[in-house]
Amino acid sequence: MTREKRFSSLRETDNLLILKAIFNEWLLITPIAPITPGEAVKGMMLNGLGFANRPLSLSPQFFANKPLDLLFRPDVKAERLNRFKLGRTLDEVNTYGSDLLLSEIALVVCRQEAIDQRFHHLDTTSFSLTGDYVPESDEQAIAITHGYSKDHRPDLKQAVLELMVSQDGGVPLVSKTWDGNASDSQIFQDRAKALLSTFAQSPTPRYLLADSKLSSKDNAAQLKPLGFIPRIPDTLTLVSQVIRQALREDTWQALDDTTRYHRLALCHYGMAQRWFVICSEAATQRAEKSVSKAQKREFDAIEKPLFHLQARRFESQQSAQAALAALSESWRYHHIASTELIAQKRYAGKGRPSATTPIKASAWQMQAEVRPDAEAIRRSKQHKGCFVLGTNIEADDLRDEEGIAAYKAQSQVEGGFRFLKDPLFFVSSLFIKKPTRIQGLLMVMTLALLVYSVAQRRLRQE
């Protein structure tokens, strides 16, 4: 009998009990153990979902006043859920393969809950850690090291978590822990390779959505057989060109009351694609705040060098104008409103010059008035209020409106990260020194997110 058939009878059972049964079936069980692996994992998840803001080493205190006979079974004692049992369970999870285990559990849960897996949303985040982490001999262990910190803590070592969730409910489908210095580009490239066979064997179309790191020249070969919808990097010159074209042609199509888009067809990285220039009220408001801040920073940066330039003396009018032009060359949001050249004469001899005192030399002083460039500011706000999506999916398979709406649901995976990194969740629980146990704990955290998202989805459907 297959694992899926063994757990088909649990369809109407509480999610935590389903996961407990799966863990007890798939992990090694010691017959005389007072706490099974499934119960240990369930305890960790309840500790986290209880938002108790306490490390896992204090789990016995968390369960001291809880009805354990209802949550687990009779004769389960709080002191048995100690750090030694939880640590050994995390070791067993790592031995089985934490990434594989979560994928298998997610598959069972998605089929039991009839979760739509048409759109897969992919992203990464980092978890900052403190302390010294000695590399393990285990080849599967990650390296806890410094890297690009999405927590804005470059002083701390970290681990990177890759998460892929369904658009339907934001249910985690894939979770994988990476080295602290792993790059999004490499992670997305490896994930695209891994999804090739999965998507090809699926009886229904499946599409991958991610941010701009998915769309790269190095990743084009892996993306070509997949249906994908990434955001196109703003750093590409072509992106600026298509945004300017959309603003110039002004042939927008309404998506809803607050969003409009401009579509164009092109060939990018050897693939025929549809690109959508998206403009929304929310993006425009963000752009206005961003440009206003940038304008203020630029004006603050202009004041001092302009003051020093106006204090200088130049040998000719041309050199004074050239110095002002060089200073204003980098200005984006300001322009020179007016200028005045003042002649500064130097007379021969000492003392106050008379009408007949000969002029020894002449110098020029530049006076300039700087004002905000209203037209440049308006263009910049318009441009920054737009972003570009791309897809290789045929229009017959996915309408424009469906593709754009699907990408807007990328917030599902970002919401999952906010849940995992909530200060009241597991943040204080990462007092674990073995990298393999950190991998197991991050997987357990993702399981808690799975239970939370499925429960939330059920409430919305009722």
Side-chain angles (χ1 to χ4, degrees):
M1 184 181 295
T2 63
R3 290 171 177 170
E4 181 182 344
K5 290 181 179 178
R6 277 197 287 264
F7 296 109
S8 61
S9 60
L10 298 174
R11 180 180 302 273
E12 301 300 331
T13 312
D14 178 75
N15 290 332
L16 287 173
L17 295 180
I18 293 175
L19 297 179
K20 172 187 169 183
I22 292 174
F23 267 89
N24 290 342
E25 173 71 18
W26 292 352
L27 297 183
L28 176 65
I29 302 176
T30 304
I32 61 174
I35 298 292
T36 67
E39 290 169 339
V41 171
K42 182 177 178 180
M44 286 187 275
M45 295 168 60
L46 286 171
N47 189 2
L49 290 170
F51 296 95
N53 195 19
R54 64 177 65 228
L56 291 180
S57 58
L58 298 180
S59 289
Q61 295 183 16
F62 173 76
F63 287 106
N65 59 351
K66 304 296 188 296
L68 301 185
D69 55 335
L70 298 178
L71 292 174
F72 296 95
R73 56 183 168 82
D75 300 329
V76 172
K77 305 298 182 182
E79 58 269 17
R80 293 176 179 173
L81 291 165
N82 53 61
R83 60 189 179 95
F84 302 104
K85 176 59 182 179
L86 301 184
R88 287 193 296 270
T89 300
L90 292 177
D91 290 336
E92 292 181 16
V93 168
N94 180 74
T95 301
Y96 185 92
S98 56
D99 308 330
L100 173 63
L101 185 56
L102 184 130
S103 298
E104 292 176 341
I105 292 172
L107 178 62
V108 173
V109 173
C110 287
R111 289 187 177 180
Q112 289 177 345
E113 298 290 330
I115 293 173
D116 182 8
Q117 300 184 53
R118 186 184 186 193
F119 297 106
H120 294 62
H121 296 269
L122 180 66
D123 206 349
T124 66
T125 191
S126 60
F127 286 84
S128 300
L129 308 170
T130 58
D132 297 326
Y133 297 87
V134 180
E136 295 189 25
S137 57
D138 190 344
E139 295 181 356
Q140 296 181 350
I142 60 172
I144 308 299
T145 184
H146 295 281
Y148 175 74
S149 176
K150 297 184 179 182
D151 289 336
H152 307 291
R153 289 299 305 270
D155 57 312
L156 298 179
K157 295 181 180 180
Q158 65 179 19
V160 174
L161 179 67
E162 172 194 4
L163 185 65
M164 187 168 71
V165 306
S166 66
Q167 182 174 328
D168 181 11
V171 177
L173 305 173
V174 172
S175 172
K176 185 175 181 179
T177 313
W178 294 78
D179 296 344
N181 57 359
S183 67
D184 284 2
S185 299
Q186 185 60 48
I187 292 173
F188 288 176
Q189 185 173 343
D190 290 351
R191 181 54 55 194
K193 290 180 182 178
L195 291 175
L196 285 175
S197 59
T198 303
F199 283 14
Q201 297 172 7
S202 174
T204 58
R206 293 190 180 186
Y207 307 126
L208 179 63
L209 299 92
D211 62 18
S212 58
K213 293 296 183 180
L214 180 65
S215 178
S216 65
K217 190 174 183 179
D218 296 335
N219 205 19
Q222 284 73 38
L223 287 178
K224 196 168 185 178
L226 294 174
F228 64 89
I229 310 176
R231 177 167 176 167
I232 308 300
D234 296 335
T235 53
L236 293 180
T237 303
L238 183 58
V239 170
S240 297
Q241 293 174 350
V242 299
I243 291 177
R244 286 196 296 268
Q245 177 183 340
L247 294 172
R248 182 174 60 254
E249 294 180 358
D250 197 21
T251 55
W252 300 94
Q253 300 182 53
L255 186 66
D256 52 42
D257 295 338
T258 62
T259 308
R260 53 183 183 165
Y261 72 96
H262 174 87
R263 186 185 72 177
L264 67 156
L266 47 76
C267 183
H268 185 59
Y269 293 147
M271 291 180 285
Q273 298 186 28
R274 284 180 293 160
W275 279 20
F276 308 105
V277 181
I278 314 296
C279 181
S280 66
E281 289 185 5
T284 301
Q285 291 174 1
R286 291 193 298 268
E288 289 179 353
K289 293 180 180 178
S290 175
V291 172
S292 297
K293 290 180 180 178
Q295 176 195 341
K296 186 179 183 304
R297 287 196 301 268
E298 184 178 83
F299 182 77
D300 293 340
I302 287 173
E303 284 187 304
K304 187 173 181 179
L306 183 62
F307 173 81
H308 288 295
L309 183 140
Q310 293 181 138
R312 291 175 57 186
R313 302 295 184 268
F314 298 91
E315 296 181 354
S316 65
Q317 299 182 34
Q318 291 76 13
S319 60
Q321 292 171 346
L324 181 60
L327 179 64
S328 63
E329 187 176 3
S330 61
W331 298 350
R332 298 183 59 186
Y333 306 111
H334 296 83
H335 67 100
I336 301 169
S338 61
T339 60
E340 180 183 2
L341 285 168
I342 302 174
Q344 302 289 338
K345 299 178 180 180
R346 296 172 57 189
Y347 293 90
K350 298 180 181 180
R352 184 175 181 178
S354 63
T356 59
T357 302
I359 297 175
K360 183 179 180 180
S362 295
W364 296 92
Q365 181 182 9
M366 171 65 72
Q367 295 292 323
E369 182 182 3
V370 176
R371 293 179 180 174
D373 189 339
E375 181 60 23
I377 293 173
R378 183 189 66 81
R379 290 196 304 267
S380 181
K381 288 181 178 179
Q382 281 188 332
H383 193 281
K384 288 182 177 294
C386 301
F387 64 93
V388 180
L389 300 180
T391 181
N392 64 339
I393 306 170
E394 296 291 341
D396 294 339
D397 298 326
L398 187 71
R399 296 183 295 110
D400 297 349
E401 297 81 3
E402 288 181 308
I404 298 171
Y407 182 83
K408 291 176 70 175
Q410 183 71 4
S411 58
Q412 293 277 17
V413 65
E414 295 168 358
F417 288 144
R418 285 193 297 271
F419 174 86
L420 294 175
K421 302 176 87 167
D422 191 295
L424 294 178
F425 189 48
F426 266 118
V427 172
S428 62
S429 303
L430 292 179
F431 297 138
I432 302 176
K433 298 306 178 185
K434 291 182 64 176
T436 52
R437 290 188 177 184
I438 289 177
Q439 290 178 255
L441 180 59
L442 288 173
M443 192 277 293
V444 173
M445 294 166 65
T446 309
L447 280 179
L449 172 62
L450 185 149
V451 172
Y452 182 86
S453 58
V454 170
Q456 191 177 57
R457 179 177 178 273
R458 286 182 179 180
L459 288 174
R460 289 173 175 170
Q461 290 179 340
E462 291 180 356

